[in-house]
Amino acid sequence: MVQLNEEILHKVITKRPEISHKGTFGRVVLIGGNQQYGGAIIMSAEACIKSGAGLTTVITAKENHSALHARLPEAMVVDFSETKLIYQVLDKADVILIGPGLGLAKEMALLLKGILNNQQAEQWLVIDGSAITLFSDYKLSLKFPAQTTFTPHLAEWAHLSGLSFVQQTNENNRAKQALLGAKIVLKSHRTTIYDDAVAYYQNPLGNPGMATGGMGDTLAGMISGFLAQFEKNTDTIAAAVYLHSLIGDDLAKDNYVVLPTSISESLPRYMKKFATERN
């Protein structure tokens, strides 16, 4: 077991090169937000952008477009109905996140299947929220497991792995992760990351104030933004997980409830701090 600490942030968050442009820091496509759960994908997009992704495109229901543009003019937006444009955008992505607020409609299952089938060898995929349930229910498979990360909470992991809450021991979780071949960010009061390289990463941070809707959507956006611009590996995922909770713990010192959007708002300042300290 590797217990995460601030060293992971010094290791992963690098100072930006003087000669750079938006393409230097990756293209991310985020997919989610039906007409009921638009806030989920907007929170993911905010975390992705404010963690430093160079270009962020959101594929979401048309009902969410004006709200997204009002809050995040930095984001581009595509409607679920624009099938040709969706796949044009996906072809150029370095990282794809699907799931926050996606819902369980059959059309979304078909979209997920299409994304899995068309994933390119150099692309990384993050599967969150509703997409985890759709993946399980429709018995879908991964094209590039090593480049795929699932971010389930305990109930979603039970559905994906077949393990009841009582059965979700580290030994059993590692065995199920090995069968999937993908990385698992198992969200709980102490989030654990499972992959093939180490036994598992344990995040020691987090607090009850973070038990708020949208917290997982924000984490998924952070993971995607980190993967877009830093090395594509488990350390980078772990750094996003740790920083998410570190900011949450700092905010909880003065706040009874920690809002996900407050974590996103703090990201540029915290990332500057750790990049500056390292270099």
Side-chain angles (χ1 to χ4, degrees), residues 143-183:
K143 188 175 181 181
F144 298 106
Q147 293 159 217
T148 302
T149 302
F150 288 95
T151 57
H153 54 58
L154 296 178
E156 290 166 341
W157 179 236
H159 197 57
L160 178 63
S161 67
L163 298 172
S164 67
F165 291 163
V166 175
Q167 293 173 322
Q168 290 179 23
T169 63
N170 283 314
E171 182 179 1
N172 288 340
N173 290 341
R174 287 182 63 198
K176 290 294 183 179
Q177 179 275 323
L179 287 174
L180 281 167
K183 296 165 179 54

Coordinates of all heavy atoms in Angstrom, one line a residue, residues 143-183:
K143 N -11.6 -1.5 -25.1 CA -10.6 -1.7 -26.2 C -9.2 -1.5 -25.7 O -8.3 -2.3 -26.1 CB -10.9 -0.6 -27.3 CG -10.2 -0.8 -28.6 CD -10.6 0.2 -29.6 CE -9.9 0.0 -31.0 NZ -10.4 1.0 -32.0
F144 N -9.0 -0.5 -24.8 CA -7.7 -0.3 -24.3 C -7.8 -0.2 -22.7 O -7.8 0.9 -22.2 CB -7.1 1.0 -24.8 CG -6.8 1.0 -26.3 CD1 -7.7 1.7 -27.2 CD2 -5.8 0.2 -26.9 CE1 -7.4 1.6 -28.6 CE2 -5.6 0.2 -28.2 CZ -6.4 0.9 -29.1
P145 N -7.9 -1.3 -22.1 CA -8.1 -1.3 -20.6 C -7.0 -0.5 -19.8 O -7.3 0.3 -18.9 CB -8.0 -2.7 -20.2 CG -8.4 -3.5 -21.4 CD -7.8 -2.7 -22.6
A146 N -5.8 -0.6 -20.2 CA -4.7 0.1 -19.5 C -4.8 1.6 -19.6 O -4.2 2.3 -18.8 CB -3.3 -0.3 -20.0
Q147 N -5.5 2.1 -20.6 CA -5.7 3.6 -20.8 C -7.1 4.0 -20.3 O -7.6 5.1 -20.7 CB -5.5 3.9 -22.2 CG -4.1 3.7 -22.7 CD -3.9 3.6 -24.2 OE1 -3.1 2.9 -24.7 NE2 -4.7 4.4 -24.9
T148 N -7.8 3.2 -19.5 CA -9.1 3.5 -19.1 C -9.1 3.5 -17.5 O -8.5 2.7 -16.9 CB -10.1 2.4 -19.6 OG1 -10.0 2.3 -21.0 CG2 -11.5 2.7 -19.1
T149 N -9.9 4.5 -17.0 CA -10.0 4.7 -15.6 C -11.5 4.7 -15.2 O -12.2 5.6 -15.8 CB -9.3 6.0 -15.1 OG1 -7.9 5.9 -15.4 CG2 -9.5 6.1 -13.6
F150 N -11.9 3.9 -14.3 CA -13.3 4.0 -13.8 C -13.2 4.7 -12.4 O -12.3 4.5 -11.7 CB -13.9 2.6 -13.5 CG -14.2 1.8 -14.7 CD1 -13.4 0.9 -15.3 CD2 -15.5 2.0 -15.3 CE1 -13.7 0.2 -16.4 CE2 -15.9 1.2 -16.4 CZ -15.0 0.3 -17.0
T151 N -14.2 5.6 -12.2 CA -14.2 6.4 -10.9 C -15.5 6.1 -10.2 O -16.3 7.0 -10.0 CB -14.1 7.9 -11.2 OG1 -15.1 8.3 -12.1 CG2 -12.7 8.2 -11.9
P152 N -15.8 4.9 -9.7 CA -17.0 4.6 -9.0 C -17.0 5.0 -7.5 O -16.0 5.0 -6.9 CB -17.1 3.1 -9.2 CG -15.7 2.7 -9.1 CD -14.9 3.7 -9.8
H153 N -18.2 5.3 -7.0 CA -18.4 5.3 -5.6 C -18.7 3.8 -5.2 O -18.8 2.9 -6.1 CB -19.5 6.2 -5.1 CG -20.8 6.1 -5.8 ND1 -21.6 5.0 -5.8 CD2 -21.6 7.1 -6.4 CE1 -22.7 5.2 -6.4 NE2 -22.7 6.4 -6.8
L154 N -18.9 3.5 -3.9 CA -19.0 2.2 -3.5 C -20.2 1.4 -4.1 O -20.0 0.2 -4.5 CB -19.1 2.1 -2.0 CG -17.9 2.7 -1.2 CD1 -18.2 2.6 0.3 CD2 -16.7 1.9 -1.5
A155 N -21.3 2.1 -4.3 CA -22.5 1.4 -4.9 C -22.2 1.1 -6.4 O -22.6 0.0 -6.9 CB -23.7 2.2 -4.7
E156 N -21.6 2.0 -7.1 CA -21.3 1.8 -8.5 C -20.3 0.7 -8.6 O -20.3 -0.1 -9.6 CB -20.8 3.1 -9.1 CG -21.9 4.1 -9.3 CD -21.4 5.5 -9.6 OE1 -20.2 5.8 -9.3 OE2 -22.2 6.3 -10.1
W157 N -19.3 0.6 -7.7 CA -18.3 -0.4 -7.8 C -19.0 -1.8 -7.5 O -18.6 -2.8 -8.1 CB -17.2 -0.2 -6.7 CG -16.1 -1.2 -6.7 CD1 -15.8 -1.9 -5.5 CD2 -15.3 -1.7 -7.7 NE1 -14.7 -2.8 -5.8 CE2 -14.4 -2.7 -7.2 CE3 -15.2 -1.4 -9.1 CZ2 -13.5 -3.3 -7.9 CZ3 -14.3 -2.1 -9.9 CH2 -13.4 -3.0 -9.3
A158 N -19.9 -1.8 -6.6 CA -20.7 -3.1 -6.3 C -21.3 -3.6 -7.6 O -21.3 -4.8 -7.9 CB -21.7 -2.9 -5.2
H159 N -21.9 -2.6 -8.4 CA -22.6 -3.0 -9.6 C -21.6 -3.5 -10.7 O -21.8 -4.4 -11.4 CB -23.4 -1.8 -10.1 CG -24.4 -2.1 -11.2 ND1 -25.4 -3.0 -11.0 CD2 -24.6 -1.6 -12.4 CE1 -26.2 -3.0 -12.0 NE2 -25.7 -2.2 -12.9
L160 N -20.4 -2.8 -10.8 CA -19.4 -3.1 -11.8 C -18.7 -4.3 -11.5 O -18.4 -5.2 -12.3 CB -18.5 -1.9 -11.9 CG -17.3 -2.0 -12.9 CD1 -17.8 -2.2 -14.3 CD2 -16.4 -0.8 -12.8
S161 N -18.3 -4.5 -10.2 CA -17.5 -5.6 -9.8 C -18.2 -6.9 -9.4 O -17.7 -8.0 -9.4 CB -16.6 -5.2 -8.6 OG -17.4 -5.0 -7.5
G162 N -19.5 -6.7 -9.0 CA -20.3 -7.8 -8.4 C -20.0 -8.1 -6.9 O -20.5 -9.1 -6.4
L163 N -19.2 -7.2 -6.3 CA -18.8 -7.4 -4.9 C -19.8 -6.6 -4.1 O -20.0 -5.4 -4.3 CB -17.4 -6.8 -4.6 CG -16.3 -7.5 -5.4 CD1 -15.0 -6.8 -5.1 CD2 -16.1 -9.0 -4.9
S164 N -20.4 -7.2 -3.1 CA -21.2 -6.5 -2.1 C -20.3 -5.5 -1.3 O -19.1 -5.6 -1.3 CB -22.0 -7.4 -1.2 OG -21.0 -8.1 -0.3
F165 N -21.0 -4.6 -0.5 CA -20.2 -3.7 0.3 C -19.3 -4.5 1.3 O -18.1 -4.1 1.4 CB -21.1 -2.8 1.1 CG -21.9 -1.8 0.3 CD1 -23.0 -1.2 0.8 CD2 -21.5 -1.5 -1.0 CE1 -23.7 -0.2 0.0 CE2 -22.1 -0.6 -1.8 CZ -23.2 0.0 -1.3
V166 N -19.8 -5.6 1.9 CA -19.0 -6.4 2.8 C -17.8 -7.1 2.1 O -16.8 -7.2 2.7 CB -19.9 -7.4 3.5 CG1 -19.1 -8.3 4.4 CG2 -21.0 -6.7 4.3
Q167 N -18.0 -7.4 0.9 CA -17.0 -8.1 0.1 C -15.9 -7.2 -0.4 O -14.9 -7.7 -1.0 CB -17.6 -8.9 -1.0 CG -18.5 -10.0 -0.6 CD -19.3 -10.7 -1.8 OE1 -19.7 -10.0 -2.7 NE2 -19.4 -12.0 -1.8
Q168 N -16.1 -5.9 -0.4 CA -15.2 -5.0 -1.0 C -13.9 -4.8 -0.1 O -13.6 -3.7 0.4 CB -15.9 -3.7 -1.3 CG -16.9 -3.8 -2.4 CD -17.6 -2.5 -2.7 OE1 -17.1 -1.4 -2.3 NE2 -18.8 -2.6 -3.3
T169 N -13.2 -5.8 0.1 CA -11.9 -5.8 0.7 C -10.8 -5.4 -0.3 O -11.0 -5.5 -1.5 CB -11.5 -7.1 1.3 OG1 -11.4 -8.1 0.3 CG2 -12.6 -7.6 2.3
N170 N -9.6 -4.9 0.2 CA -8.6 -4.6 -0.7 C -8.2 -5.8 -1.6 O -7.9 -5.6 -2.8 CB -7.4 -4.1 0.0 CG -7.6 -2.6 0.5 OD1 -8.0 -1.8 -0.2 ND2 -7.2 -2.4 1.8
E171 N -8.1 -6.9 -1.0 CA -7.8 -8.1 -1.8 C -8.8 -8.4 -2.9 O -8.4 -8.7 -4.1 CB -7.7 -9.3 -0.9 CG -7.2 -10.6 -1.6 CD -7.1 -11.8 -0.6 OE1 -7.4 -11.6 0.6 OE2 -6.7 -12.9 -1.1
N172 N -10.1 -8.4 -2.6 CA -11.1 -8.6 -3.6 C -11.1 -7.5 -4.6 O -11.3 -7.8 -5.8 CB -12.5 -8.8 -2.9 CG -12.6 -10.1 -2.2 OD1 -11.9 -11.0 -2.4 ND2 -13.5 -10.1 -1.2
N173 N -11.0 -6.3 -4.2 CA -11.0 -5.2 -5.1 C -9.8 -5.2 -6.1 O -10.0 -5.0 -7.3 CB -10.9 -3.8 -4.4 CG -12.2 -3.5 -3.6 OD1 -13.2 -4.1 -3.9 ND2 -12.1 -2.6 -2.6
R174 N -8.7 -5.6 -5.6 CA -7.5 -5.8 -6.5 C -7.7 -6.9 -7.5 O -7.4 -6.8 -8.7 CB -6.3 -6.1 -5.7 CG -5.7 -4.9 -4.9 CD -4.5 -5.2 -4.2 NE -3.4 -5.6 -5.1 CZ -2.3 -6.3 -4.7 NH1 -2.2 -6.7 -3.5 NH2 -1.4 -6.6 -5.6
A175 N -8.4 -8.0 -7.1 CA -8.6 -9.1 -8.0 C -9.6 -8.7 -9.1 O -9.4 -9.0 -10.3 CB -9.2 -10.3 -7.2
K176 N -10.6 -7.9 -8.8 CA -11.6 -7.5 -9.8 C -11.0 -6.5 -10.7 O -11.2 -6.4 -11.9 CB -12.8 -6.9 -9.1 CG -13.7 -7.9 -8.4 CD -14.3 -8.9 -9.4 CE -15.2 -9.9 -8.7 NZ -15.9 -10.8 -9.6
Q177 N -10.1 -5.6 -10.2 CA -9.4 -4.6 -11.0 C -8.5 -5.4 -12.0 O -8.5 -5.0 -13.2 CB -8.6 -3.7 -10.1 CG -7.8 -2.6 -10.9 CD -6.4 -3.2 -11.4 OE1 -5.8 -3.9 -10.7 NE2 -6.0 -2.8 -12.6
A178 N -7.9 -6.4 -11.6 CA -7.0 -7.1 -12.5 C -7.8 -7.8 -13.6 O -7.3 -7.8 -14.8 CB -6.3 -8.2 -11.7
L179 N -9.0 -8.2 -13.3 CA -9.9 -8.8 -14.4 C -10.3 -7.7 -15.4 O -10.3 -8.0 -16.6 CB -11.1 -9.4 -13.7 CG -10.9 -10.8 -13.0 CD1 -12.2 -11.2 -12.3 CD2 -10.4 -11.8 -14.0
L180 N -10.6 -6.5 -14.9 CA -11.0 -5.5 -15.8 C -9.9 -4.9 -16.6 O -10.0 -4.5 -17.7 CB -11.7 -4.3 -15.0 CG -13.1 -4.5 -14.6 CD1 -13.5 -3.4 -13.5 CD2 -14.1 -4.4 -15.8
G181 N -8.7 -4.9 -15.9 CA -7.5 -4.3 -16.6 C -7.4 -2.8 -16.5 O -6.4 -2.2 -16.9
A182 N -8.5 -2.2 -16.1 CA -8.5 -0.7 -16.0 C -8.1 -0.2 -14.7 O -8.1 -1.0 -13.7 CB -9.9 -0.2 -16.4
K183 N -7.8 1.0 -14.5 CA -7.5 1.6 -13.2 C -8.8 1.9 -12.5 O -9.8 2.3 -13.2 CB -6.7 2.9 -13.4 CG -5.3 2.5 -14.0 CD -4.6 3.8 -14.5 CE -3.2 3.4 -15.0 NZ -3.2 2.3 -16.0

